[in-house]
Every structure is written in C-alpha cells, then in structure tokens.
C-alpha cells in the first residue's frame, strides 16, 4: 500500500499526499500516473485503476494544492483564496464516479477526472459546511497532515495515534528519561 488514510475524509487524505509539506524536500506521493491510480484504488473511491496519464498527475496535484489552500485558509480564519475556490468549483462540476450494482455488490469505476470531481465536491461540503470547525493540523512538527477532529471534547492532537502520536509520546518519554539521568 502506497498511501495512508488517517484523516476521516478522503479530500483531507488527498491533501496528505504531499508529506512533510514544510520540509526542504517534501515527499510527493502523486509523482507518477501509477501512484495516482494507486491512490484512487487504495482509497476505495474506485475499484479499478482509472489509467492516469502525466496530464492527470498535473491535474491531481493542482487540485490537491487548491484544496490545501482552502483548508489552510479555514484553519487560519482567512478569506478563501479566489483561485483555489475557482479550481475546486471547476472540478466539482465534473461527472461523478459511476456506480453499478452487480452480483458482488456495488462497483465503482471512472476516470481520474471523475475521481477528482468527487474529491472537489467533498471539499466544497467540508470547507463550506459546519465540519470546517473540526479541521485541525497534526501537532507533530514534521507532519503537515490535516484531519477532522471528531473526538469527544475535540482535543485530538495528531493525525493518527499509531504514527505521529506514538512518535511524539516516545520522543517525550526519551527526553524525560535523559533529563532524569542528567
């Protein structure tokens, strides 16, 4: 599996395909058509790889960055950037993923453009709706993952406990141990 889905919503997991965003050399998880195909299948949005092209990679990255700009604006309490709004709205107007009922249940298929349209629509609902108040960025300094804090009390600190939470807690434990020994 090439991708992670810790955020509670696919559009935020999609934003997380650029890992360590503020680092000098962030890790691009949508660098090739194959990685774009993998993201749509691993996310469960499509059952079959859509057959991404190099131009689809460019479109996916542009949409991802527009979604991030909108989410960052909501996190900071800023006005939504017009270019990012236009980009998301353009994609949101696209055709939906095709659903078919078959002997084994629901089958989801479509192109990269259809998958991006679904992500854009989800972004519109999230950024423009009440759940925008639940947006948080992971507290681990090296992580820039954004997630929805649906925890009781809304005090969740990390995108995922098994990764970032464990790293922070282990680092804090090691720091306490070395301070006690000093």
């Amino acid at each position: 599996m090439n991708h992670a889905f810790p955020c509670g919503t696919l559009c935020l997991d999609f934003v997380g395909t650029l890992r360590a965003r503020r680092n000098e050399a962030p890790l691009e998880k949508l660098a090739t058509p194959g990685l774009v195909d993998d993201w749509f299948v691993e996310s469960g949005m499509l059952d079959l790889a859509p057959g991404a092209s190099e131009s689809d990679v460019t479109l996916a990255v542009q949409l991802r960055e527009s979604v991030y700009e909108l989410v960052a604006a909501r996190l900071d309490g800023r006005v939504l950037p017009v270019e990012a709004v236009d980009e998301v709205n353009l994609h949101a107007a696209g055709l939906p993923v095709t659903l078919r009922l078959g002997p084994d249940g629901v089958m989801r298929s479509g192109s990269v453009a259809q998958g991006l349209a679904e992500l854009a629509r989800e972004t519109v609902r999230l950024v423009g709706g009440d759940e925008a108040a639940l947006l948080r960025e992971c507290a681990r300094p090296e992580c820039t993952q954004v997630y929805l804090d649906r925890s009781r009390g809304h005090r969740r600190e990390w995108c995922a406990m098994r990764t970032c939470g464990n790293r922070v807690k282990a680092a804090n434990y090691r720091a306490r141990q070395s301070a006690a020994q000093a």
Side-chain angles (χ1 to χ4, degrees):
M1 197 157 171
N2 292 315
H3 302 283
F5 303 91
C7 300
T9 181
L10 287 180
C11 66
L12 296 179
D13 289 322
F14 189 64
V15 166
T17 59
L18 184 62
R19 300 271 172 83
R21 182 175 288 277
R22 287 185 290 271
N23 286 3
E24 211 172 289
L27 177 60
E28 177 60 73
K29 299 293 282 184
L30 297 177
T32 66
L35 287 170
V36 171
D37 282 345
D38 289 347
W39 192 91
F40 282 111
V41 173
E42 290 173 16
S43 72
M45 184 177 282
L46 299 172
D47 294 317
L48 302 171
S53 67
E54 288 296 333
S55 62
D56 289 329
V57 171
T58 302
L59 287 174
V61 168
Q62 286 172 341
L63 177 62
R64 180 196 62 209
E65 293 309 302
S66 293
V67 173
Y68 179 75
E69 288 177 36
L70 295 176
V71 167
R74 277 288 182 245
L75 284 168
D76 297 339
R78 292 182 283 117
V79 173
L80 298 177
V82 174
E83 287 181 9
V85 168
D86 291 345
E87 178 81 12
V88 168
N89 284 339
L90 177 68
H91 284 281
L95 293 173
V97 167
T98 302
L99 299 176
R100 290 200 167 83
L101 185 58
D104 297 326
V106 177
M107 175 74 169
R108 294 167 295 280
S109 63
S111 64
V112 170
Q114 288 172 284
L116 295 176
E118 294 286 337
L119 291 168
R121 282 189 284 279
E122 186 176 306
T123 300
V124 168
R125 287 188 292 273
L126 174 62
V127 172
D130 293 339
E131 281 195 314
L134 302 178
L135 287 167
R136 305 284 185 276
E137 187 172 59
C138 185
R140 187 170 72 93
E142 299 81 28
C143 184
T144 54
Q145 187 72 56
V146 180
Y147 60 91
L148 289 175
D149 181 4
R150 293 184 176 127
S151 68
R152 193 157 93 190
H154 304 292
R155 297 186 327 177
R156 181 174 157 192
E157 295 180 57
W158 304 291
C159 60
M161 184 61 197
R162 70 184 178 280
T163 54
C164 290
N166 282 341
R167 288 178 187 161
V168 170
K169 287 184 173 213
N172 289 343
Y173 175 78
R174 285 190 301 275
R176 284 191 310 274
Q177 293 302 312
S178 31
Q181 291 174 356

Coordinates of all heavy atoms in Angstrom, one line a residue, residues 1-6 10 13 19 27 29 34-35 37-45 162:
M1 N 0.8 -1.2 0.0 CA 0.0 0.0 0.0 C 0.9 1.2 0.0 O 1.8 1.4 0.8 CB -0.9 0.0 1.2 CG -2.1 0.9 1.1 SD -3.4 0.3 2.3 CE -4.4 1.7 2.2
N2 N 0.7 2.2 -0.9 CA 1.5 3.4 -1.1 C 1.0 4.6 -0.4 O 1.7 5.5 -0.2 CB 1.6 3.7 -2.6 CG 2.4 2.7 -3.4 OD1 3.4 2.3 -2.9 ND2 1.9 2.3 -4.5
H3 N -0.3 4.5 0.1 CA -0.9 5.7 0.6 C -1.5 5.4 2.0 O -1.9 4.3 2.3 CB -2.0 6.2 -0.3 CG -1.4 6.6 -1.7 ND1 -0.7 7.7 -1.9 CD2 -1.5 5.9 -2.8 CE1 -0.3 7.7 -3.2 NE2 -0.8 6.6 -3.8
A4 N -1.7 6.5 2.8 CA -2.3 6.4 4.1 C -3.6 7.2 4.1 O -3.7 8.2 3.4 CB -1.4 6.9 5.2
F5 N -4.6 6.8 5.0 CA -5.9 7.4 5.0 C -6.3 7.6 6.5 O -7.3 7.1 6.9 CB -6.9 6.5 4.3 CG -6.5 6.3 2.8 CD1 -5.7 5.2 2.5 CD2 -6.8 7.2 1.9 CE1 -5.3 5.0 1.2 CE2 -6.4 7.1 0.5 CZ -5.7 6.0 0.2
P6 N -5.6 8.5 7.2 CA -5.9 8.7 8.6 C -6.9 9.8 9.0 O -7.2 10.0 10.2 CB -4.5 9.0 9.2 CG -3.9 9.8 8.1 CD -4.3 9.2 6.8
L10 N -11.8 11.7 2.6 CA -10.9 11.5 1.5 C -10.2 12.7 1.0 O -9.1 12.7 0.6 CB -11.6 10.7 0.4 CG -11.9 9.3 0.6 CD1 -12.6 8.6 -0.6 CD2 -10.6 8.5 0.9
D13 N -7.3 13.3 3.2 CA -6.3 12.3 2.9 C -5.6 12.6 1.6 O -4.4 12.4 1.5 CB -6.9 10.9 2.8 CG -7.4 10.4 4.2 OD1 -6.7 10.6 5.2 OD2 -8.4 9.7 4.2
R19 N 3.7 14.8 1.7 CA 4.1 14.6 3.0 C 5.2 15.6 3.4 O 6.0 16.0 2.6 CB 4.7 13.2 3.2 CG 3.7 12.1 2.9 CD 2.8 11.7 4.1 NE 1.8 10.8 3.7 CZ 1.9 9.5 3.6 NH1 3.1 8.9 3.7 NH2 0.9 8.8 3.3
L27 N 7.8 15.0 0.5 CA 7.7 13.7 -0.2 C 6.4 13.8 -1.0 O 5.3 13.8 -0.5 CB 7.7 12.6 0.7 CG 7.5 11.2 0.1 CD1 8.6 10.8 -0.9 CD2 7.4 10.1 1.3
K29 N 3.6 12.0 -3.1 CA 3.1 10.7 -3.2 C 2.2 10.5 -4.4 O 1.6 9.5 -4.6 CB 2.2 10.3 -1.9 CG 3.1 10.3 -0.6 CD 4.1 9.2 -0.6 CE 3.4 7.9 -0.3 NZ 4.3 6.8 -0.1
G34 N 1.0 5.9 -12.0 CA 0.8 4.7 -11.3 C 0.4 5.1 -9.8 O -0.5 4.4 -9.2
L35 N 1.1 6.1 -9.2 CA 0.7 6.4 -7.9 C -0.6 7.1 -7.8 O -1.3 6.9 -6.8 CB 1.8 7.4 -7.3 CG 3.2 6.7 -6.9 CD1 4.2 7.8 -6.6 CD2 3.0 5.8 -5.8
D37 N -3.2 6.3 -9.8 CA -4.1 5.2 -9.9 C -4.2 4.5 -8.6 O -5.3 4.1 -8.1 CB -3.5 4.2 -11.0 CG -3.8 4.6 -12.4 OD1 -4.7 5.5 -12.6 OD2 -3.2 4.0 -13.3
D38 N -3.0 4.2 -7.9 CA -3.0 3.5 -6.6 C -3.8 4.3 -5.6 O -4.5 3.7 -4.8 CB -1.6 3.4 -6.1 CG -0.7 2.4 -6.9 OD1 -1.3 1.6 -7.7 OD2 0.5 2.4 -6.7
W39 N -3.7 5.6 -5.6 CA -4.5 6.4 -4.6 C -6.0 6.2 -4.7 O -6.7 5.9 -3.8 CB -4.1 7.9 -4.7 CG -4.7 8.6 -3.5 CD1 -4.0 8.8 -2.3 CD2 -6.0 9.1 -3.3 NE1 -4.9 9.5 -1.4 CE2 -6.1 9.6 -2.0 CE3 -7.1 9.2 -4.1 CZ2 -7.2 10.2 -1.5 CZ3 -8.3 9.8 -3.6 CH2 -8.3 10.3 -2.3
F40 N -6.5 6.2 -6.0 CA -7.9 6.1 -6.2 C -8.4 4.7 -5.8 O -9.5 4.5 -5.2 CB -8.3 6.4 -7.6 CG -8.4 7.9 -7.8 CD1 -7.4 8.5 -8.7 CD2 -9.3 8.7 -7.2 CE1 -7.5 9.9 -8.9 CE2 -9.4 10.0 -7.4 CZ -8.5 10.7 -8.2
V41 N -7.6 3.7 -6.1 CA -8.0 2.3 -5.7 C -7.8 2.0 -4.2 O -8.7 1.5 -3.6 CB -7.2 1.3 -6.6 CG1 -7.5 -0.2 -6.1 CG2 -7.5 1.4 -8.0
E42 N -6.7 2.4 -3.6 CA -6.4 2.2 -2.2 C -7.4 3.0 -1.3 O -7.8 2.5 -0.2 CB -5.0 2.6 -1.8 CG -4.0 1.6 -2.4 CD -2.5 2.1 -2.2 OE1 -2.3 3.0 -1.4 OE2 -1.7 1.6 -2.9
S43 N -7.9 4.1 -1.8 CA -8.9 4.9 -1.0 C -10.2 4.3 -1.1 O -11.1 4.7 -0.2 CB -9.0 6.3 -1.6 OG -9.6 6.3 -2.9
G44 N -10.5 3.4 -2.0 CA -11.8 2.8 -2.2 C -12.7 3.6 -3.0 O -13.9 3.3 -3.2
M45 N -12.2 4.7 -3.5 CA -13.1 5.6 -4.4 C -13.4 4.9 -5.7 O -14.5 5.0 -6.2 CB -12.4 6.9 -4.7 CG -13.3 7.9 -5.5 SD -12.5 9.5 -5.7 CE -12.8 10.2 -4.1
R162 N -1.2 5.9 15.9 CA -0.3 4.9 15.6 C 1.0 5.4 14.9 O 2.0 4.7 15.0 CB -0.9 3.7 14.8 CG -1.2 4.1 13.4 CD -2.0 2.9 12.7 NE -2.3 3.3 11.3 CZ -3.3 4.1 11.0 NH1 -4.1 4.6 11.9 NH2 -3.5 4.4 9.7

